[in-house]
């Protein structure tokens, strides 16, 4: 109680003592003692006179509102004009009482306390609700017809890189620089408010103005009627789906690559049969040719063109994961070291090559020749990204990919991996380029400078080897490709180059050739017969079984295509071996199916010759299989 007149104070106290239970009253007379009581006494209600020498009721109200805004303030005065009374009430006073009607004090105090308790309960509820919506990771907001934020939670403020207080009363346009996004938001919001029906928006982008990062949300928008005048508002709850959208895009990209790969594999298979005939007959013609040198040069050009086409089909098979791999336990460090000289000759003089090879690197299981192809293609790609020079770094290391990493990357299984990183300091890539970089025939190089198959080949080899490849790049900041291959607990085999094969010696053995393509069958017959082999022919599996049954002598080798119209090469070999246990088998194919390879990995002990092949290659491979232990 702030009162300078002791008599009035006695009257006020008498009225207060009528209350049950009787209140505890602290009587103060000056501004200083009043300020001390606000904190020390901590009142539930404040009573104040209007006229205090040197310190009036308005100053007391202002001081009380700053210190204890939730505590009711009642003015008690001898006289008060209506204008002053209204000013007190506008500034936060709970009530005013004239001293000649002090009997109204008790009921007024009880009423003010009841209102204060209700107000405090409301404030508590508001604080709890604020904590609840701020704890929610989804964006929660209320907007009016003009797009102004009436209420927002902390997540909404974070999405715009600002505070809750700064966002309330503003619109998307005040923070979001993307005009199209802002117009899209306002159009959708008004449609919901006008229709009076909720709406679920599957995908909605929000761009943070400070980081320029776009996050994606699934938003539920519900119309509300919050204002007394009936003006429409809208409640929005936006749940972030950025990670889900990224994983969906990865999955779609993987499916697209798979579909194109199926087509590429089929095309490569058919082309390999055609190219084998072109290469083989050109070889035969060149071996028997006695014409003028100019015509011999023309023949060599045909063979060169066929070899280029064969290289292209190999890339298609690599991309489509239908090539045959001969995996071995390898050391990634040895592969990189073996390529060092070749890599230095490939890159420009103004590009510095650095290697950082982990000394304790685990082993991996992969085809060393294909892994060399991966490194070469990545290095060439890095070189082309640095026309003005730079640094190419090849790094190896052990990596543990945990559940969290696997959850963010499609097709990754948690576990221990061997990592190969190829980094350049070149021009880097934007988001659109990164999204398509592994697509076949996609290239950023000028026409005539590339087929667009280099990185798609890398992708196919890594995937077929059971690994994963990821790209990290920013414009003008360079690029890093990281290859992860599953680590194995085994000692690496020798990855040194094998000794050159000895010239094929003339044969004498009997070979059963099974090939449904007539051109290739005739070609193979001529190539082997020219080396003194006895050749038996069959155009399909059933014919081969009949030929073998009628042949009374020994058959030393079955040379068979894998994919044939009736039965595959593996079933044919198994059937013939039952009657001829010592029969050796050499498979040939444009690409093998699951008959002799699992996921493109040759089964142990299987001899295989990939189409297209030269006549020299098939003669050498036949001799190799016949002479093997």
């Amino acid at each position: 109680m702030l009162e300078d007149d002791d008599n009035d104070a006695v009257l006020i106290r008498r009225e207060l003592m009528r209350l049950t239970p009787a209140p505890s009253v602290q009587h103060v007379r000056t501004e200083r003692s009043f300020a001390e009581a606000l904190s020390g006494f901590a009142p539930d209600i404040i009573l104040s006179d209007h006229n205090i020498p040197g310190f009036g009721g308005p100053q007391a109200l202002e001081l009380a509102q700053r210190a204890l805004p939730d505590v009711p303030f009642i003015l008690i005065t001898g006289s008060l004009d209506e204008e002053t009374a209204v000013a007190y009430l506008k500034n936060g006073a709970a009530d005013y009482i004239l001293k000649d009607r002090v009997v109204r004090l008790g009921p007024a105090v009880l009423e003010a306390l009841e209102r204060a308790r209700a107000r405090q309960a409301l404030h508590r509820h508001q604080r709890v609700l604020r904590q609840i919506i701020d704890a929610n990771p989804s964006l929660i907001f209320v907007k009016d017809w003009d797009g102004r934020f009436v209420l927002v939670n902390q997540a909404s403020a974070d999405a715009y890189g600002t505070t809750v207080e700064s966002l309330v009363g503003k619109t998307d346009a005040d923070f979001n620089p993307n005009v199209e996004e802002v117009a899209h938001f306002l159009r959708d919001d008004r449609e919901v408010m006008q229709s009076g029906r909720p709406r679920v928006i599957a995908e909605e982008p929000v761009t943070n103005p400070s980081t320029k990062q776009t996050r994606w949300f699934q938003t539920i928008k519900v119309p509300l009627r919050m204002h007394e005048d009936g003006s429409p508002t809208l409640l929005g709850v936006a749940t972030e789906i950025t990670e889900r959208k990224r994983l969906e895009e990865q999955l779609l990209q993987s499916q697209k690559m798979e579909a194109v790969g199926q087509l590429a594999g089929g095309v490569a298979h058919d082309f390999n049969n055609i190219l084998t005939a072109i290469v083989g007959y050109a070889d035969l013609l060149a071996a028997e040719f006695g014409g003028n040198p100019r015509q011999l040069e023309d023949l060599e050009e045909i063979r060169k063109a066929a070899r280029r086409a064969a290289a292209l089909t190999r890339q298609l098979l690599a991309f489509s994961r239908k090539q045959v791999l001969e995996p071995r336990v390898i050391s990634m460090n040895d592969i990189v070291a073996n390529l060092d000289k070749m890599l230095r000759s490939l890159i420009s003089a103004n590009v510095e090559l650095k290697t950082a090879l982990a000394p304790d690197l685990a082993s991996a299981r992969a085809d060393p020749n294909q892994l060399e192809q991966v490194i070469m293609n990545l290095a060439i790609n890095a070189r082309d990204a640095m026309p003005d020079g730079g640094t190419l770094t090849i790094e190896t290391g052990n990596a543990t990919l945990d559940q969290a990493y696997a959850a963010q990357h499609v097709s990754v299984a948690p576990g221990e991996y061997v990592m190969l990183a190829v980094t350049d300091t070149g021009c880097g890539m934007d988001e659109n380029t990164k999204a398509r970089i592994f697509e076949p025939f996609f290239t950023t190089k000028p026409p005539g400078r590339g087929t667009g198959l280099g990185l798609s080949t890398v992708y196919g080899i890594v995937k077929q080897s059971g690994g994963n490849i990821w790209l990290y790049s920013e414009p003008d900041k360079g690029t890093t490709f990281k290859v992860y291959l599953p680590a194995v607990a085994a000692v690496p085999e020798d990855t040194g180059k094998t000794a050159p094969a000895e010239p094929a010696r003339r044969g004498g053995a009997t070979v059963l050739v099974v090939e449904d393509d007539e051109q290739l069958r005739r070609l193979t017959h001529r190539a082997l017969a020219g080396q003194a082999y006895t050749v038996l022919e069959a155009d399909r599996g059933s014919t081969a079984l009949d030929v073998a049954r009628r042949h009374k002598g020994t058959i030393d080798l079955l040379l068979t295509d894998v994919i044939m119209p009736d039965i595959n090469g593996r079933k044919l070999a198994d059937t013939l071996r039952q009657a001829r246990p010592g029969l050796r088998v050499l498979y040939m194919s444009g690409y093998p199916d699951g008959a002799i390879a699992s996921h493109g990995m040759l089964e142990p002990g299987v001899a295989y010759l990939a189409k297209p092949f030269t006549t020299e290659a098939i003669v050498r491979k036949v001799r190799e299989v016949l002479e093997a232990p």
Side-chain angles (χ1 to χ4, degrees):
M1 176 175 59
L2 174 61
E3 175 60 67
D4 64 324
D5 189 306
D6 288 342
N7 292 326
D8 288 343
V10 170
L11 292 174
I12 293 170
R13 187 184 291 272
R14 182 186 302 155
E15 288 300 322
L16 292 174
M17 292 304 119
R18 298 180 190 275
L19 297 174
T20 303
S24 170
V25 180
Q26 180 165 332
H27 178 201
V28 295
R29 297 172 175 80
T30 64
E31 177 181 1
R32 180 177 178 181
S33 58
F34 178 71
E36 290 173 351
L38 289 178
S39 57
F41 183 62
D44 295 303
I45 192 163
I46 300 168
L47 308 180
S48 173
D49 193 7
H50 175 55
N51 293 312
I52 305 292
F55 179 58
Q59 292 87 350
L61 176 59
E62 182 181 353
L63 191 59
Q65 288 286 292
R66 283 203 307 267
L68 300 170
D70 292 331
V71 174
F73 182 100
I74 296 179
L75 184 72
I76 304 178
T77 182
S79 62
L80 197 68
D81 60 79
E82 186 175 341
E83 184 178 344
T84 305
V86 169
Y88 269 108
L89 295 176
K90 280 186 175 180
N91 290 329
D95 204 348
Y96 69 92
I97 294 174
L98 299 178
K99 289 182 179 179
D100 59 358
R101 297 180 185 176
V102 74
V103 292
R104 201 173 71 81
L105 178 59
V109 166
L110 294 177
E111 184 181 349
L113 287 172
E114 185 62 32
R115 290 202 305 267
R117 279 192 290 269
R119 191 165 53 249
Q120 289 165 4
L122 178 62
H123 289 166
R124 282 196 300 272
H125 285 306
Q126 289 174 335
R127 284 194 295 271
V128 170
L129 287 173
R130 167 54 62 183
Q131 290 174 355
I132 290 172
I133 67 169
D134 281 344
N136 197 314
S138 297
L139 276 56
I140 300 174
F141 54 86
V142 175
K143 291 181 182 178
D144 64 15
W145 179 261
D146 296 320
R148 284 189 295 269
F149 289 99
V150 179
L151 177 146
V152 295
N153 69 340
Q154 188 61 49
S156 300
D158 292 342
Y160 275 132
T162 185
T163 63
V164 169
E165 293 75 17
S166 299
L167 190 54
V168 170
K170 302 292 179 60
T171 68
D172 288 295
D174 293 317
F175 294 92
N176 193 337
N178 191 319
V179 177
E180 292 182 2
E181 278 186 20
V182 172
H184 172 76
F185 293 155
L186 188 59
R187 184 172 61 251
D188 284 348
D189 294 346
R190 287 183 172 179
E191 182 181 322
V192 170
M193 286 186 274
Q194 196 167 35
S195 69
R197 291 191 300 271
R199 183 181 176 193
V200 177
I201 300 171
E203 292 183 355
E204 200 167 43
V206 174
T207 303
N208 186 308
S210 56
T211 64
K212 301 297 187 289
Q213 180 187 20
T214 298
R215 297 160 63 190
W216 290 84
F217 294 85
Q218 182 182 74
T219 307
I220 301 172
K221 295 184 177 180
V222 181
L224 299 177
R225 290 286 186 271
M226 290 179 58
H227 300 294
E228 294 179 0
D229 61 3
S231 58
T233 52
L234 170 141
L235 167 66
V237 179
T239 303
E240 185 165 10
I241 58 168
T242 305
E243 191 62 28
R244 190 188 79 189
K245 184 174 175 62
R246 190 177 64 79
L247 291 173
E248 286 175 351
E249 288 173 349
Q250 285 184 18
L251 181 60
L252 286 173
Q253 177 74 0
S254 177
Q255 290 172 337
K256 181 169 66 173
M257 298 278 278
E258 187 70 30
V260 178
Q262 291 288 343
L263 174 63
V267 169
H269 174 256
D270 292 339
F271 264 73
N272 277 335
N273 280 341
I274 298 168
L275 288 170
T276 302
I278 293 173
V279 172
Y281 282 108
D283 286 343
L284 292 176
L285 190 57
E288 299 170 1
F289 191 73
N292 63 56
R294 179 62 180 271
Q295 291 175 324
L296 194 59
E297 289 177 7
D298 291 344
L299 259 180
E300 183 56 31
E301 288 302 316
I302 293 173
R303 295 163 78 183
K304 283 182 181 178
R307 283 195 292 270
R308 286 200 302 273
L312 185 61
T313 59
R314 278 196 301 274
Q315 286 183 303
L316 288 173
L317 286 173
F319 156 66
S320 58
R321 289 176 258 174
K322 288 182 171 60
Q323 64 179 337
V324 175
L325 301 182
E326 298 185 44
R328 298 159 61 183
V329 179
I330 56 98
S331 164
M332 190 82 77
N333 286 350
D334 290 347
I335 301 292
V336 174
N338 290 341
L339 285 176
D340 185 83
K341 188 174 181 180
M342 186 180 295
L343 288 173
R344 293 185 188 279
S345 66
L346 275 177
I347 62 177
S348 310
N350 59 352
V351 173
E352 181 184 6
L353 175 63
K354 292 182 177 179
T355 56
L357 308 182
D360 58 344
L361 191 66
S363 302
R365 184 172 175 80
D367 185 323
N369 294 324
Q370 297 300 325
L371 199 53
E372 287 181 356
Q373 187 69 35
V374 166
I375 297 171
M376 295 285 286
N377 280 353
L378 292 177
I380 290 171
N381 204 63
R383 176 202 67 188
D384 294 342
M386 300 183 287
D388 299 323
T391 302
L392 168 62
T393 304
I394 300 178
E395 178 186 1
T396 62
N398 297 313
T400 300
L401 304 185
D402 56 18
Q403 289 283 1
Y405 185 93
Q408 296 175 356
H409 297 82
V410 171
S411 77
V412 172
E416 301 300 317
Y417 286 80
V418 175
M419 184 274 296
L420 168 74
V422 178
T423 303
D424 66 64
T425 57
C427 56
M429 302 178 221
D430 58 23
E431 292 299 323
N432 291 334
T433 302
K434 286 195 290 184
R436 300 188 59 194
I437 198 64
F438 292 119
E439 289 183 11
F441 310 111
F442 173 76
T443 179
T444 58
K445 297 172 185 174
R449 289 287 305 277
T451 62
L453 283 172
L455 288 177
S456 60
T457 298
V458 167
Y459 179 89
I461 292 172
V462 172
K463 285 292 185 180
Q464 192 174 352
S465 302
N468 294 282
I469 181 167
W470 304 102
L471 162 68
Y472 308 84
S473 185
E474 291 183 42
D476 303 320
K477 293 186 179 180
T479 299
T480 296
F481 286 93
K482 285 190 174 181
V483 174
Y484 294 96
L485 296 178
V488 296
V491 178
E493 302 173 33
D494 181 20
T495 54
K497 300 298 182 183
T498 57
E502 296 180 9
R505 294 186 292 278
R506 296 182 69 82
T510 299
V511 180
L512 173 56
V513 177
V514 188
E515 169 61 64
D516 60 313
D517 187 294
E518 185 180 356
Q519 273 189 320
L520 296 190
R521 196 169 62 250
R522 291 202 312 266
L523 169 66
T524 306
H525 189 145
R526 284 184 58 182
L528 295 177
Q531 296 296 319
Y533 289 101
T534 300
V535 181
L536 307 175
E537 282 188 44
D539 64 349
R540 62 188 60 212
S542 56
T543 307
L545 293 173
D546 186 55
V547 169
R549 189 168 50 251
R550 288 188 284 105
H551 183 71
K552 301 304 180 183
T554 301
I555 298 178
D556 300 287
L557 175 69
L558 169 65
L559 174 58
T560 179
D561 194 6
V562 175
I563 301 171
M564 292 183 292
D566 50 0
I567 60 174
N568 65 45
R570 180 61 174 269
K571 288 183 179 178
L572 173 63
D574 291 343
T575 303
L576 286 176
R577 275 177 166 159
Q578 290 177 5
R580 300 174 179 267
L583 181 68
R584 295 171 186 247
V585 181
L586 172 59
Y587 297 101
M588 56 182 174
S589 182
Y591 73 89
D593 63 2
I596 65 169
S598 176
H599 303 293
M601 304 286 188
L602 273 185
E603 295 180 6
V606 172
Y608 172 75
L609 180 63
K611 297 177 182 177
F613 47 75
T614 63
T615 54
E616 178 190 358
I618 194 166
V619 169
R620 184 170 62 247
K621 190 67 176 179
V622 165
R623 172 57 58 188
E624 179 185 309
V625 173
L626 287 170
E627 292 183 351

